[in-house]
Amino acid sequence: MIRFRFVLTPLGRVAPWGHEDRTLHWFGLTDGWYWIELADHELLRYTPDTPGQRPYVDNYLARLWEDVIEMTPAVLEPVPADLLDFVAGDPDAWGPVNGDAASTAAVWYDEHTVDLGYIRHPPRIRVWRTVSDDLDVVTVTWRHDDDGDIRFSAPPSGQVVISSDSFLTAVRRFDHELMTAMGRRIRALERTGPPSGIQLDLKRLRAEHAERMTWLARGLRNVPETDWTAVRAGATELRRG
């Protein structure tokens, strides 16, 4: 029902960073393109008539991977029933974010949004969990507007409900697949050395990869300490306008 998909740019075509001092590092080596399979939809897929674009978002996989790991603890924290309308709502209808409670509620709301601010005209993808006596699901919603230039192939808005286990499995799979692909990439560079004229500290690269392989496990140990009283008060204030 949900899967984070990606293709890494072939190693020989990864552009180094810098001009005079041309370097490569773990983050830069994740250059590629990616999308999210969600039920029958492909989120982050551009329409064929979108000018100057690959079929999917073209950026560094590390961005999406880091953001997914960061948001997962918040996503897995069940949303209280009385806040479901707020977490599913539109911040364009809010009043100004004034005061500590409103700020707390706004930050909590943002923790359920996939950060895509680094791409042009990004869609808004949001994720939250609902738990009841006979239900344990994650809701994924999206919305994007046609600006006449950047267009995505998925419907302008939509919602898919999946099991919480399916979401966590997809996060774990994404992490495993990226770490495996980067491990192969690092081994290839260790055999061949860095491309001519490009600086690359292979020992440091290997150490960073080993450290990043722990990120998801450490992230999943994080337990949010949400101040529900403040979130409720801030949500009321923001919706009041």
Side-chain angles (χ1 to χ4, degrees), residues 121-134:
H121 201 65
R124 182 182 297 166
I125 301 175
R126 295 187 40 73
V127 194
W128 65 87
R129 183 182 183 187
T130 306
V131 175
S132 62
D133 291 340
D134 57 352

Side-chain angles (χ1 to χ4, degrees), residues 13-135:
R13 289 167 46 196
V14 174
W17 289 32
H19 298 286
E20 295 181 2
D21 296 324
R22 303 170 72 216
T23 63
L24 280 175
H25 39 64
W26 197 94
F27 192 100
L29 286 166
T30 68
D31 183 63
W33 53 101
Y34 49 86
W35 64 103
I36 303 172
E37 290 181 354
L38 184 64
D40 297 327
H41 306 289
E42 287 186 328
L43 306 186
L44 306 182
R45 181 186 180 101
Y46 296 108
T47 60
D49 58 342
T50 299
Q53 297 290 344
R54 283 175 170 171
Y56 303 100
V57 166
D58 179 3
N59 212 283
Y60 298 99
L61 264 295
R63 288 187 183 272
L64 180 63
W65 175 78
E66 289 177 1
D67 293 337
V68 167
I69 287 178
E70 183 177 0
M71 76 182 299
T72 293
V75 168
L76 293 180
E77 182 182 37
V79 175
D82 61 321
L83 286 171
L84 287 174
D85 286 345
F86 176 68
V87 77
D90 187 348
D92 292 342
W94 292 354
V97 182
N98 294 325
D100 291 343
S103 178
T104 297
V107 169
W108 178 81
Y109 180 94
D110 286 342
E111 288 173 345
H112 296 79
T113 304
V114 180
D115 182 4
L116 296 167
Y118 50 86
I119 66 175
R120 289 183 59 199
H121 201 65
R124 182 182 297 166
I125 301 175
R126 295 187 40 73
V127 194
W128 65 87
R129 183 182 183 187
T130 306
V131 175
S132 62
D133 291 340
D134 57 352
L135 194 71

Side-chain angles (χ1 to χ4, degrees), residues 116-173:
L116 296 167
Y118 50 86
I119 66 175
R120 289 183 59 199
H121 201 65
R124 182 182 297 166
I125 301 175
R126 295 187 40 73
V127 194
W128 65 87
R129 183 182 183 187
T130 306
V131 175
S132 62
D133 291 340
D134 57 352
L135 194 71
D136 188 349
V137 296
V138 164
T139 299
V140 184
T141 67
W142 72 90
R143 192 189 82 189
H144 57 80
D145 302 316
D146 185 350
D147 73 340
D149 185 18
I150 301 297
R151 293 178 291 275
F152 293 93
S153 63
S157 63
Q159 173 177 301
V160 172
V161 178
I162 60 177
S163 72
S164 297
D165 285 344
S166 294
F167 174 78
L168 183 55
T169 296
V171 172
R172 292 185 186 278
R173 184 173 187 173

